[in-house]
Amino acid sequence: MEGVEYRAWDPRRSKLGAMVLKKFEIPLKKDSRVLYLGAATGTTVSHVSDIVSEGAVYAVEFSARSMRDFLGLADRRKNIHPILADAGRPESYAHLVGPVDVIFQDVAQPNQAEIAAKNAGLFLKKDGLLMLSIKARSIDTAASPKQVFKNEVKKLEEAFEPKFEILNARELAPYHEDHLGLIAKIKGSE
Amino acid sequence: MKVETWFGTLEISPEGKVLESVLFSKAPLELAERSFTLSEEKTFLPPPGFDFRKASLECGFFESGAEYDSILHELTLRKAKLQVSKALSLDQRIIQAVEALDDINETTNTLSERLFEWYGNHFPETGLTGEALAGFVVKYGNRANVDPEDPFYEKASTSIGAELPMEDEVLIKAFAESLFSLYARRGQLEAYIRESMETRAPNLTMLAGPMLGARLLSIAGGLPQLAKFPSSTVQVIGANKALFKHLRERAPSPKHGIIFSHPLINTSPWWQRGKIARALSAKLSLAARMDLYSGEKSPVLLEKLDAKVGQIRALHPNPPAKKPDSGSGKSPGKRSGKGSGKVSDAKGHVQRSGKGHNKGPGIENEKEPEKRPENGNSMKGRGR
């Protein structure tokens, strides 16, 4: 055995890292199974993979270019399951994933509330949690971020099935401008 | 009920008990291939909440959760690798080529200015620039080497330039060689783009020319993406700064993005440009859709565009009478057109190809006028 490895976690590159510093209660445990939507090149995924050392991360990414960079990392870390697919079509990876404790979503898409609902409906356990980062600029470039956040929260709470109950929501400034981080559970669940 | 999972087909009771199971091999490659089919079919999805990982352990297919995870890891990794290696499309290759071309244009501009200054110390009378100058320096180096037969011989023998020491000559010649070979690469890339665009997007190429067409592809990210854009987006692609300024603040909307480099727009007087840009972008997005879905070249598009442009020109022969608040309408689009080095380079190429294109419609008009109704109909059909 060698010494313990410490890794730097840059909150400016990682929404989850910023959420840690903004004092969100991060619901990741050693044996959590996590569905990570919008893995990109895997910076944050690698940290999640560290935390859930006995669990698993299903990392969904749509861009083949990002996936190319991500695969080296996924190769080394046995608890990462890379999935090259559109997070808006979760049926295409339903045969791989199964129930998860946490969905972390960082997709920067205009329909991200819908994406969250679709995935939560298929995969999120009754007592599972959704962690979401909303980028105002990718939903409406012209409207004020505050208004966009309000609309998006409303969409999460009412527009799709399942509906969510927001447990905590804070802006991720100064680490990410015009981003809202939030944690939610499925409405009516315990 | 029947459930498809990555490791096998299960028959489960409403409570989630496994009644029957047909399991596959544990070989990652076979699993990956099967996973592709399942992703396509999207049938017999596991019901929400059904923990098939647990179920697989219960029916004894995997000895432990660790084995399950490890084989799933092999599968997903294998599958993702296959997908990544299949992902390189012709669009991607065209995009790389056109971006490489832009890089080369930028570099050759910088280097040729340097060569001009540098060699100008020794022989300022050449009057050559760019590729011609690079070729000259590669050929002769020191002006003393200019061949008596060469038209530059006279100038070389009376030049006011400073002497060029041997070691400087070696340097400057090697520098010019590098530049010269970059120009050669540029020609190669242009030929490649012209050919690929003709194959991939014949209609877009016919209307926009290969270089502008390829740049539109590049910014959209591929032909499928470009075909999905509304034509108002095509009109302002590349004018991001002006567009967002318009959306956020009270700036006027940009009239054209990179399509400004199209000869129909940049050779027209300013009061017609916005109108022509709209007509052009409408036809460009139709062209992109035809290229994506049918792939057949249809000269009708070009006829209609020319008719429309002719109409615009006839209707607006003179600048608007009111004192034009033209600064507002004109500047954002124009700035975007000239803003980056890339775009102004685009202008040069498209203009060149554009000359051919302007001749084109007349010839094609005569050849295939009967195609018009047929294509018009099929386009409508696709629109739905």
Side-chain angles (χ1 to χ4, degrees), chain B residues 206-208 262-264 302 305-306 353-361:
Chain B
M206 172 180 70
L207 293 187
H262 195 285
L264 276 181
L302 197 51
L305 176 62
D306 282 335
S353 56
K355 273 176 197 155
H357 146 81
N358 280 342
K359 277 179 214 151

Side-chain angles (χ1 to χ4, degrees), chain B residues 144-314:
Chain B
N145 303 333
V146 175
D147 193 75
E149 304 286 297
D150 196 292
F152 285 100
Y153 181 72
E154 180 67 30
K155 283 178 178 171
S157 43
T158 58
S159 172
I160 59 161
E163 283 307 311
L164 187 67
M166 191 61 180
E167 65 258 44
D168 290 36
E169 187 187 350
V170 172
L171 264 184
I172 202 169
K173 238 179 133 168
F175 184 82
E177 272 163 19
S178 302
L179 176 57
F180 195 67
S181 71
L182 273 183
Y183 280 115
R185 288 297 81 69
R186 183 170 85 176
Q188 208 178 9
L189 277 169
E190 280 172 349
Y192 174 86
I193 293 169
R194 218 171 291 132
E195 244 166 70
S196 316
M197 282 300 287
E198 192 53 55
T199 323
R200 176 61 172 147
N203 290 300
L204 187 63
T205 309
M206 172 180 70
L207 293 187
M211 296 308 151
L212 175 57
R215 287 196 169 85
L216 287 169
L217 269 197
S218 160
I219 296 179
L223 189 57
Q225 289 88 332
L226 183 63
K228 278 186 201 131
F229 283 169
S231 63
S232 54
T233 301
V234 175
Q235 189 185 344
V236 295
I237 281 181
N240 304 25
K241 218 174 141 189
L243 178 66
F244 288 120
K245 199 167 180 194
H246 164 65
L247 291 175
R248 289 211 187 97
E249 300 157 33
R250 248 189 249 156
S253 62
K255 289 191 303 241
H256 26 56
I258 60 165
I259 63 165
F260 180 78
S261 66
H262 195 285
L264 276 181
I265 295 179
N266 63 21
T267 60
S268 294
W270 58 263
W271 65 90
Q272 294 173 357
R273 284 178 185 170
K275 296 172 176 57
I276 295 178
R278 248 183 299 135
L280 175 63
S281 57
K283 296 298 176 232
L284 287 180
S285 48
L286 280 182
R289 286 164 203 175
M290 294 179 73
D291 288 334
L292 183 63
Y293 294 113
S294 87
E296 273 169 46
K297 197 164 176 173
S298 154
V300 180
L301 274 178
L302 197 51
E303 289 167 26
K304 287 195 171 168
L305 176 62
D306 282 335
K308 180 77 191 165
V309 170
Q311 199 187 357
I312 292 171
R313 291 196 166 138

Side-chain angles (χ1 to χ4, degrees), chain A residues 1 5 23 29-30 47 50 52 65-66 70 84 89 118-119 124 132 141 146 160 163 173 182 186:
Chain A
M1 286 296 282
E5 183 194 353
K23 305 220 164 60
K29 302 196 184 69
K30 225 176 173 178
H47 293 289
D50 280 341
V52 300
R65 180 66 191 81
S66 299
F70 177 49
L84 178 58
R89 298 179 191 282
K118 274 187 184 173
N119 281 278
L124 194 59
L132 185 66
T141 50
K146 294 261 185 300
F160 305 102
K163 300 177 170 50
L182 60 82
I186 294 178

Side-chain angles (χ1 to χ4, degrees), chain B residues 36-57:
Chain B
F36 274 112
T37 342
L38 293 181
S39 294
E40 277 298 309
E41 288 171 357
K42 299 173 191 159
T43 46
F44 306 113
L45 303 184
F50 173 58
D51 191 345
F52 51 79
R53 180 169 181 264
K54 216 159 110 197
S56 78
L57 299 179

